Amino acid sequence: MIPTKKLTKDQAKHLIDDIDKLSAPLFDELIAKWKNNIVDDFSFEYNELRNKVIAVYKESKPFGWYETDLKVGFALYREFNPANGFSFVLASDDDIWRYLSCKVFPDITYERYPTPEKEILEQGGHINHKRFYSHTRRIWLKTLWWYIFLSWQGSEAETYDVLRRFGVDTISDLIERTGQGYRLALYRQLMYDYSRVKNKNTDLFNTIQKQNLVNCRTTEPALVKDAEKGYLGMLFRQLSIEIDDVDRRTNE
Amino acid sequence: MFFYPTLTDELLETAGFSLTSYIYSYNVNDLDCRLIGKGKNVVKFDDDTWRIERDGLRIRRSIVIEYPEYLYGKSGIACEDAELGICIIWTNKTLKQMGTILPGNTYRNEASSVYEFDYLFEPGTIKGDLCLETQLYIKKAAEKILLGEESLMNDEGVKVGVLDEVHLDLGSMYMEFPIAEINDKKLPMWWLELSDWSEPQKDLFDEDSLCIYLNTAYELCPKMGETVKYADVLIDIITTVYVMLYRKVSDCGCLANTINDVDLEEGSISKILYYFKDSCKTDIDFSTEERMHKTIWMNVADMINGGDD
């Protein structure tokens, strides 16, 4: 049974506000605990998940934030898997992610995003509220799960093979540009095709996403010849983007 | 605005389109249970035994084009040699997802073309709302473009006309607003928090743009849930929220576009305000803020109290 405890926005806000209000010595004490990954105020059902995620986090951290994001995302996806009943409805429920961020994984969420927003900092706060609970498309653990889900290529190995070449900006560019909504098949094909792009630069994925949103106003990718694959071929040609001739899926 | 001909009301009539209403149902122990929808543009279901997240939703409808030949050629919307298709594009704003439904069965009945749709949204896949937009699109591009057809769209997958649009309200109307509950007697019973948006025609109508805070520390505060408690208070809150939103949209210089559905992105703040205006039985009077408040109240009251359809 997948644990799906919830924390409402208000409950999360109170919890984080309380941390923001801690005196300097008490806050330092809390951070010292978090640095040693000591977190105990969560339901026991999450023990196994927490141990797995923390182990992955520690292993991947030396390889940079993107690698860490990916590996934590996969670890979450393994547990909160659609095949195990973690439905679209549950995955979209911010309260479930708020519980995970604020109760189960506050230590690594804080370490990943240690800088609070400007206005929070000005009020003497310490915590990045958006990444913990307040911004639906920026709750860190939620973005990682969705990044894996929207990029899924059929297996973890194939998905990793596609995603390993990208960077942290790709996560936000994918998650935050929803348009009318996510077209799952299109996004999965897009991530695969983008992994075959020869010369990637930091703005390229963003440019693709923007043009895609414009095109989708008139064109429905699933209805183009060869569906999403055909549509993306047109989109890449439109933007003069070259991709590797070799399609790893077909070896053509 | 399109730079190629798209379906007009006149062409819709000439081509003899006939669209059945949707049949909605769900499955219980292999029995197909019908759901009766109330409302025309915004459909609601009163069946307490059905829950979309648990039971899913099956939709069915047929579309007949009696004289499809009028859609082709220089006076139509596709080349003689092209093929038009019909699809339903669904959008589930609450879960930020969308997809395309193709007809399960297509056939010719004498001169008419018939398209039959039958689609199941599995349990756990949608929640809150569902928009079903039936579209005509270029299914197969013409290889030969005849004289006079140069301005016609001939790219596969491009949409060339909306046949109709139906919105299903799968929660209660006020739940379409992002709502957060708090419990603090030092704060007001409710308030609206608007983030710093300036492009309502593009900015999404979601929690990142706006949020209604309901303070449960007050006994009269409407509670979130299946049934509406203190409906009169809720009507006042929702009315005031709409007035505040229209005012802010007006401050951004977008009121005219918003109420006329000009250049509005799907899921944007303006688009939702347009849908609301469009679904009102009593026209909203935008001439002054007081009149706007009064006419919005009449509609919100009607929606929440469940007027006759």
Side-chain angles (χ1 to χ4, degrees), chain B residues 143-207:
Chain B
E143 287 178 18
K144 283 184 294 183
I145 297 173
L146 304 178
L147 203 64
E149 293 183 339
E150 296 83 357
S151 64
L152 298 177
M153 174 47 66
N154 193 36
D155 291 339
E156 288 175 13
V158 175
K159 298 170 267 194
V160 287
V162 181
L163 296 177
D164 72 1
E165 195 175 306
V166 173
H167 295 265
L168 309 187
D169 182 352
L170 305 174
S172 54
M173 194 279 291
Y174 75 100
M175 288 299 285
E176 286 180 12
F177 280 98
I179 291 179
E181 273 189 356
I182 60 134
N183 189 311
D184 190 340
K185 197 79 184 178
K186 289 180 201 146
L187 291 168
M189 184 168 78
W190 75 274
W191 70 94
L192 176 67
E193 198 169 276
L194 299 175
S195 67
D196 193 21
W197 40 266
S198 55
E199 292 183 285
Q201 294 176 218
K202 290 182 181 165
D203 291 316
L204 290 176
F205 187 90
D206 66 11
E207 203 178 312

Coordinates of all heavy atoms in Angstrom, one line a residue, chain B residues 143-207:
Chain B
E143 N -2.9 15.8 -52.3 CA -1.6 15.8 -53.1 C -1.7 16.8 -54.2 O -0.7 17.3 -54.7 CB -1.4 14.3 -53.6 CG -1.0 13.4 -52.5 CD -0.8 12.0 -52.9 OE1 -0.7 11.7 -54.1 OE2 -0.8 11.1 -52.1
K144 N -3.0 16.9 -54.7 CA -3.2 17.9 -55.8 C -4.0 19.1 -55.2 O -5.1 18.9 -54.6 CB -4.0 17.2 -56.9 CG -3.2 16.3 -57.8 CD -4.1 15.8 -58.9 CE -5.2 14.9 -58.4 NZ -6.1 14.3 -59.4
I145 N -3.5 20.2 -55.4 CA -4.2 21.4 -55.0 C -4.7 22.1 -56.3 O -4.0 22.5 -57.2 CB -3.3 22.4 -54.2 CG1 -2.8 21.7 -52.9 CG2 -4.0 23.7 -53.9 CD1 -1.8 22.4 -52.1
L146 N -6.1 22.2 -56.3 CA -6.7 22.7 -57.5 C -6.7 24.3 -57.5 O -6.4 24.9 -56.5 CB -8.1 22.2 -57.6 CG -8.3 20.7 -57.6 CD1 -9.8 20.4 -57.6 CD2 -7.6 20.0 -58.8
L147 N -6.9 24.8 -58.7 CA -7.0 26.2 -58.9 C -8.1 26.8 -57.9 O -9.2 26.3 -57.8 CB -7.4 26.6 -60.3 CG -7.0 28.0 -60.8 CD1 -5.4 28.1 -60.8 CD2 -7.5 28.2 -62.2
G148 N -7.7 27.8 -57.2 CA -8.7 28.5 -56.3 C -8.6 27.9 -54.8 O -9.2 28.4 -53.9
E149 N -7.8 26.8 -54.7 CA -7.7 26.2 -53.3 C -6.4 26.6 -52.6 O -6.1 26.1 -51.5 CB -7.7 24.7 -53.5 CG -9.0 24.1 -54.0 CD -9.0 22.6 -54.1 OE1 -7.9 22.0 -54.1 OE2 -10.1 22.0 -54.1
E150 N -5.7 27.6 -53.2 CA -4.4 27.9 -52.6 C -4.5 28.4 -51.2 O -3.5 28.2 -50.4 CB -3.7 29.0 -53.5 CG -3.3 28.5 -54.9 CD -4.5 28.7 -55.8 OE1 -5.6 29.1 -55.4 OE2 -4.4 28.4 -57.0
S151 N -5.6 29.1 -50.8 CA -5.7 29.6 -49.5 C -6.1 28.6 -48.4 O -6.2 28.9 -47.2 CB -6.6 30.8 -49.5 OG -7.9 30.4 -49.8
L152 N -6.5 27.4 -48.9 CA -7.0 26.4 -47.9 C -5.9 25.8 -47.1 O -4.8 25.6 -47.7 CB -7.8 25.4 -48.7 CG -9.1 25.8 -49.5 CD1 -9.7 24.7 -50.2 CD2 -10.1 26.4 -48.5
M153 N -6.2 25.5 -45.9 CA -5.2 24.8 -45.1 C -5.0 23.4 -45.7 O -6.0 22.7 -46.0 CB -5.7 24.7 -43.6 CG -4.9 23.9 -42.7 SD -3.1 24.2 -42.8 CE -3.0 25.9 -42.2
N154 N -3.8 23.0 -45.8 CA -3.5 21.6 -46.3 C -2.4 20.9 -45.5 O -1.7 20.1 -46.1 CB -3.2 21.7 -47.8 CG -3.2 20.3 -48.5 OD1 -4.1 19.5 -48.1 ND2 -2.3 20.1 -49.4
D155 N -2.3 21.2 -44.2 CA -1.3 20.5 -43.4 C -2.0 19.6 -42.5 O -3.0 19.9 -41.8 CB -0.5 21.5 -42.5 CG 0.4 22.4 -43.4 OD1 0.7 22.0 -44.5 OD2 0.7 23.5 -42.9
E156 N -1.6 18.3 -42.5 CA -2.2 17.3 -41.6 C -2.1 17.7 -40.1 O -1.1 18.2 -39.7 CB -1.6 16.0 -41.9 CG -2.0 15.5 -43.3 CD -1.3 14.2 -43.6 OE1 -0.7 13.5 -42.8 OE2 -1.4 13.8 -44.8
G157 N -3.2 17.4 -39.4 CA -3.3 17.7 -38.0 C -3.7 19.1 -37.6 O -3.9 19.4 -36.4
V158 N -3.9 19.9 -38.6 CA -4.3 21.3 -38.3 C -5.8 21.4 -38.1 O -6.6 20.8 -38.9 CB -3.8 22.3 -39.4 CG1 -4.3 23.7 -39.1 CG2 -2.3 22.3 -39.5
K159 N -6.2 22.1 -37.1 CA -7.7 22.2 -36.8 C -8.3 23.3 -37.7 O -7.7 24.4 -37.8 CB -7.8 22.5 -35.3 CG -7.3 21.5 -34.4 CD -7.2 21.9 -32.9 CE -5.8 22.4 -32.6 NZ -5.6 22.6 -31.1
V160 N -9.5 23.0 -38.2 CA -10.1 23.9 -39.1 C -11.5 24.3 -38.7 O -12.2 25.0 -39.5 CB -10.1 23.4 -40.6 CG1 -8.7 23.4 -41.2 CG2 -10.7 22.0 -40.7
G161 N -11.9 24.0 -37.5 CA -13.2 24.4 -37.0 C -13.6 23.7 -35.8 O -13.4 22.5 -35.6
V162 N -14.3 24.4 -34.9 CA -14.8 23.9 -33.7 C -16.3 23.6 -33.9 O -17.1 24.4 -34.3 CB -14.7 24.8 -32.5 CG1 -15.2 24.2 -31.2 CG2 -13.2 25.2 -32.3
L163 N -16.7 22.3 -33.7 CA -18.1 22.0 -33.9 C -18.9 22.3 -32.6 O -20.0 22.9 -32.7 CB -18.3 20.5 -34.2 CG -17.6 20.1 -35.5 CD1 -17.8 18.6 -35.8 CD2 -18.3 20.8 -36.7
D164 N -18.4 22.0 -31.5 CA -19.0 22.4 -30.2 C -18.0 22.2 -29.1 O -17.0 21.6 -29.2 CB -20.4 21.8 -30.0 CG -20.3 20.3 -29.6 OD1 -19.2 19.8 -29.5 OD2 -21.4 19.8 -29.4
E165 N -18.4 22.7 -27.9 CA -17.6 22.7 -26.8 C -18.4 22.5 -25.6 O -19.4 23.2 -25.4 CB -16.8 24.0 -26.7 CG -15.7 24.1 -25.8 CD -15.0 25.4 -25.9 OE1 -14.6 25.8 -27.0 OE2 -14.8 26.1 -24.8
V166 N -18.2 21.4 -24.8 CA -19.0 21.1 -23.6 C -18.1 21.1 -22.4 O -17.0 20.5 -22.4 CB -19.7 19.8 -23.8 CG1 -20.5 19.4 -22.5 CG2 -20.7 19.9 -24.9
H167 N -18.5 21.7 -21.3 CA -17.7 21.7 -20.1 C -18.4 20.9 -19.0 O -19.6 21.1 -18.8 CB -17.5 23.1 -19.6 CG -16.6 23.9 -20.5 ND1 -15.3 24.1 -20.3 CD2 -17.0 24.6 -21.6 CE1 -14.8 24.8 -21.3 NE2 -15.8 25.1 -22.1
L168 N -17.7 19.9 -18.5 CA -18.3 19.1 -17.4 C -17.8 19.6 -16.1 O -16.5 19.7 -15.9 CB -18.0 17.6 -17.5 CG -18.3 17.0 -18.9 CD1 -18.0 15.5 -18.8 CD2 -19.7 17.2 -19.3
D169 N -18.7 20.0 -15.2 CA -18.3 20.4 -13.8 C -18.3 19.2 -13.0 O -19.4 18.7 -12.6 CB -19.2 21.5 -13.4 CG -18.8 22.0 -12.0 OD1 -17.9 21.4 -11.4 OD2 -19.5 23.0 -11.5
L170 N -17.1 18.6 -12.7 CA -17.1 17.3 -12.0 C -16.9 17.5 -10.5 O -16.8 16.6 -9.7 CB -16.0 16.4 -12.5 CG -16.1 16.2 -14.0 CD1 -14.8 15.4 -14.5 CD2 -17.3 15.4 -14.4
G171 N -16.8 18.8 -10.0 CA -16.8 19.0 -8.6 C -18.0 20.0 -8.4 O -18.9 20.1 -9.3
S172 N -17.9 20.8 -7.4 CA -19.0 21.9 -7.4 C -18.4 23.1 -8.0 O -17.2 23.2 -8.1 CB -19.4 22.1 -6.0 OG -18.3 22.4 -5.2
M173 N -19.2 24.0 -8.5 CA -18.8 25.1 -9.3 C -17.7 25.9 -8.6 O -16.7 26.2 -9.1 CB -20.0 26.0 -9.5 CG -19.8 27.1 -10.6 SD -19.0 28.5 -10.1 CE -20.2 29.3 -9.0
Y174 N -17.8 26.2 -7.2 CA -16.9 27.0 -6.6 C -15.5 26.3 -6.4 O -14.5 26.9 -6.2 CB -17.4 27.5 -5.2 CG -17.4 26.5 -4.1 CD1 -16.4 26.5 -3.2 CD2 -18.4 25.5 -4.0 CE1 -16.4 25.5 -2.1 CE2 -18.4 24.6 -3.0 CZ -17.4 24.6 -2.1 OH -17.4 23.7 -1.1
M175 N -15.6 25.0 -6.5 CA -14.3 24.2 -6.4 C -13.4 24.5 -7.6 O -12.2 24.1 -7.6 CB -14.6 22.7 -6.2 CG -15.2 22.4 -4.9 SD -14.1 22.8 -3.5 CE -12.9 21.5 -3.7
E176 N -13.9 25.1 -8.7 CA -13.0 25.4 -9.8 C -12.0 26.4 -9.4 O -11.0 26.5 -10.0 CB -13.9 25.9 -11.0 CG -14.6 24.7 -11.6 CD -15.4 25.2 -12.8 OE1 -15.2 26.4 -13.2 OE2 -16.3 24.5 -13.3
F177 N -12.4 27.2 -8.4 CA -11.4 28.2 -7.9 C -10.4 27.4 -7.0 O -10.7 26.6 -6.2 CB -12.1 29.2 -7.0 CG -12.8 30.3 -7.8 CD1 -14.1 30.2 -8.0 CD2 -12.0 31.3 -8.3 CE1 -14.8 31.2 -8.7 CE2 -12.7 32.3 -9.0 CZ -14.0 32.2 -9.2
P178 N -9.1 27.8 -7.1 CA -8.1 27.3 -6.2 C -8.5 27.8 -4.8 O -8.7 29.0 -4.6 CB -6.8 27.9 -6.6 CG -7.0 28.2 -8.1 CD -8.5 28.6 -8.2
I179 N -8.7 26.9 -3.9 CA -9.1 27.3 -2.5 C -8.2 26.7 -1.5 O -7.8 25.5 -1.6 CB -10.6 26.8 -2.3 CG1 -11.6 27.6 -3.2 CG2 -11.0 26.9 -0.8 CD1 -13.0 27.2 -3.0
A180 N -7.9 27.5 -0.5 CA -7.1 26.9 0.6 C -7.9 27.2 1.9 O -8.5 28.3 2.0 CB -5.7 27.5 0.7
E181 N -7.9 26.3 2.8 CA -8.5 26.5 4.1 C -7.5 26.9 5.1 O -6.4 26.4 5.2 CB -9.2 25.3 4.6 CG -10.6 25.1 4.0 CD -11.4 24.0 4.7 OE1 -10.8 23.2 5.5 OE2 -12.6 23.8 4.4
I182 N -7.8 27.9 5.9 CA -6.9 28.2 7.1 C -7.8 28.3 8.3 O -9.0 28.3 8.2 CB -6.2 29.5 6.9 CG1 -7.2 30.7 6.7 CG2 -5.3 29.5 5.7 CD1 -6.7 31.8 7.6
N183 N -7.2 28.4 9.5 CA -7.9 28.5 10.7 C -7.2 29.5 11.6 O -6.3 29.1 12.3 CB -8.0 27.1 11.4 CG -9.0 27.1 12.5 OD1 -8.9 27.9 13.4 ND2 -9.9 26.1 12.6
D184 N -7.7 30.7 11.6 CA -7.0 31.8 12.3 C -7.9 32.9 12.6 O -8.3 33.6 11.6 CB -5.7 32.2 11.5 CG -4.9 33.1 12.4 OD1 -5.3 33.7 13.4 OD2 -3.7 33.3 12.0
K185 N -8.4 33.0 13.8 CA -9.4 34.1 14.1 C -8.9 35.5 13.9 O -9.6 36.4 13.9 CB -9.8 33.8 15.6 CG -11.1 34.5 16.0 CD -12.4 33.7 15.5 CE -13.7 34.5 15.8 NZ -14.9 33.8 15.3
K186 N -7.6 35.6 13.8 CA -7.0 37.0 13.7 C -7.1 37.5 12.2 O -6.7 38.6 11.9 CB -5.5 37.0 14.1 CG -5.4 36.8 15.6 CD -3.9 36.9 16.0 CE -3.6 36.2 17.3 NZ -2.4 35.5 17.4
L187 N -7.5 36.6 11.4 CA -7.5 36.9 9.9 C -9.0 37.0 9.5 O -9.9 36.4 10.2 CB -6.8 35.9 9.1 CG -5.2 35.9 9.3 CD1 -4.6 34.7 8.7 CD2 -4.7 37.2 8.7
P188 N -9.3 37.6 8.4 CA -10.7 37.7 7.9 C -11.3 36.3 7.6 O -10.6 35.3 7.5 CB -10.6 38.5 6.6 CG -9.2 39.1 6.5 CD -8.4 38.2 7.4
M189 N -12.6 36.3 7.4 CA -13.3 35.0 7.2 C -12.9 34.5 5.8 O -12.9 33.3 5.6 CB -14.8 35.2 7.3 CG -15.6 33.9 7.1 SD -17.3 34.1 7.5 CE -17.9 34.8 6.0
W190 N -12.6 35.4 4.9 CA -12.1 34.9 3.6 C -11.4 36.1 2.9 O -11.6 37.2 3.3 CB -13.3 34.4 2.7 CG -14.1 35.5 2.1 CD1 -15.2 36.1 2.7 CD2 -13.9 36.2 0.9 NE1 -15.6 37.1 1.9 CE2 -14.9 37.2 0.7 CE3 -13.0 36.0 -0.2 CZ2 -15.0 38.0 -0.4 CZ3 -13.1 36.9 -1.3 CH2 -14.1 37.8 -1.4
W191 N -10.5 35.7 2.1 CA -9.9 36.8 1.2 C -9.4 36.1 -0.1 O -9.2 34.9 -0.1 CB -8.8 37.6 1.9 CG -7.5 36.8 2.2 CD1 -6.4 36.8 1.4 CD2 -7.3 36.0 3.3 NE1 -5.5 36.0 2.0 CE2 -5.9 35.5 3.2 CE3 -8.0 35.6 4.5 CZ2 -5.4 34.6 4.1 CZ3 -7.4 34.8 5.4 CH2 -6.1 34.3 5.2
L192 N -9.2 37.0 -1.0 CA -8.6 36.5 -2.3 C -7.2 37.0 -2.4 O -6.9 38.1 -2.2 CB -9.4 37.1 -3.5 CG -8.9 36.8 -4.9 CD1 -9.1 35.3 -5.2 CD2 -9.7 37.6 -5.9
E193 N -6.3 36.0 -2.7 CA -4.9 36.4 -2.9 C -4.6 36.3 -4.4 O -4.8 35.2 -5.0 CB -4.0 35.4 -2.1 CG -2.6 36.0 -1.9 CD -1.9 35.1 -0.9 OE1 -2.1 35.3 0.3 OE2 -1.1 34.2 -1.3
L194 N -4.1 37.4 -5.0 CA -3.8 37.4 -6.4 C -2.3 37.6 -6.5 O -1.7 38.5 -5.9 CB -4.5 38.6 -7.1 CG -6.0 38.6 -7.1 CD1 -6.5 39.9 -7.8 CD2 -6.5 37.4 -7.9
S195 N -1.7 36.7 -7.3 CA -0.2 36.9 -7.5 C 0.0 38.0 -8.5 O -0.9 38.6 -9.0 CB 0.4 35.6 -7.9 OG -0.1 35.2 -9.2
D196 N 1.2 38.2 -8.8 CA 1.6 39.4 -9.6 C 1.4 39.1 -11.1 O 2.4 39.2 -11.9 CB 3.0 39.8 -9.3 CG 3.3 41.1 -9.8 OD1 2.4 41.9 -10.1 OD2 4.5 41.4 -10.0
W197 N 0.2 38.7 -11.6 CA 0.1 38.5 -13.0 C -0.4 39.7 -13.7 O -1.0 40.6 -13.2 CB -0.9 37.3 -13.3 CG -2.1 37.2 -12.5 CD1 -2.3 36.4 -11.4 CD2 -3.4 37.8 -12.7 NE1 -3.6 36.5 -10.9 CE2 -4.3 37.3 -11.8 CE3 -3.9 38.7 -13.7 CZ2 -5.6 37.8 -11.7 CZ3 -5.2 39.1 -13.7 CH2 -6.1 38.6 -12.7
S198 N 0.1 39.8 -15.0 CA -0.2 41.0 -15.8 C -0.8 40.6 -17.2 O -1.2 41.4 -17.9 CB 1.0 41.8 -15.9 OG 2.0 41.1 -16.5
E199 N -0.7 39.3 -17.5 CA -1.2 38.8 -18.8 C -2.3 37.8 -18.6 O -2.1 36.6 -18.8 CB -0.1 38.2 -19.6 CG 1.0 39.2 -20.0 CD 2.0 38.5 -20.9 OE1 2.9 37.8 -20.4 OE2 2.0 38.8 -22.1
P200 N -3.5 38.2 -18.2 CA -4.6 37.3 -17.9 C -5.0 36.4 -19.1 O -5.6 35.4 -18.9 CB -5.7 38.1 -17.4 CG -5.4 39.5 -17.9 CD -3.9 39.6 -18.0
Q201 N -4.7 36.9 -20.3 CA -5.0 36.1 -21.5 C -4.1 34.9 -21.6 O -4.4 34.0 -22.4 CB -5.0 37.0 -22.7 CG -6.1 38.0 -22.7 CD -6.1 39.0 -23.9 OE1 -6.3 40.2 -23.7 NE2 -5.8 38.5 -25.1
K202 N -3.0 34.9 -20.9 CA -2.0 33.8 -21.0 C -1.9 33.1 -19.6 O -1.7 31.9 -19.5 CB -0.7 34.3 -21.4 CG -0.7 34.7 -22.9 CD 0.7 35.1 -23.3 CE 0.7 35.6 -24.8 NZ 1.9 36.3 -25.1
D203 N -1.8 33.9 -18.6 CA -1.5 33.4 -17.2 C -2.6 32.4 -16.8 O -3.8 32.6 -17.0 CB -1.5 34.5 -16.2 CG -0.2 35.4 -16.4 OD1 0.8 34.8 -16.6 OD2 -0.4 36.6 -16.3
L204 N -2.2 31.3 -16.3 CA -3.1 30.2 -16.0 C -4.0 30.5 -14.8 O -3.5 31.1 -13.8 CB -2.3 28.9 -15.7 CG -1.6 28.2 -16.9 CD1 -0.8 27.0 -16.5 CD2 -2.7 27.8 -18.0
F205 N -5.2 30.0 -14.9 CA -6.2 30.1 -13.8 C -5.8 29.0 -12.8 O -6.5 27.9 -12.8 CB -7.6 30.0 -14.3 CG -8.7 30.3 -13.3 CD1 -9.2 31.5 -13.1 CD2 -9.2 29.2 -12.6 CE1 -10.2 31.8 -12.2 CE2 -10.2 29.5 -11.7 CZ -10.7 30.7 -11.5
D206 N -4.8 29.2 -12.0 CA -4.5 28.1 -11.1 C -4.0 28.7 -9.8 O -3.9 30.0 -9.6 CB -3.5 27.1 -11.7 CG -2.1 27.8 -12.0 OD1 -1.9 28.9 -11.5 OD2 -1.3 27.1 -12.6
E207 N -3.6 27.8 -8.9 CA -3.2 28.3 -7.5 C -2.0 29.2 -7.6 O -1.8 30.0 -6.6 CB -2.8 27.0 -6.7 CG -2.9 27.2 -5.3 CD -2.6 25.9 -4.5 OE1 -3.1 24.8 -4.9 OE2 -1.8 25.9 -3.6

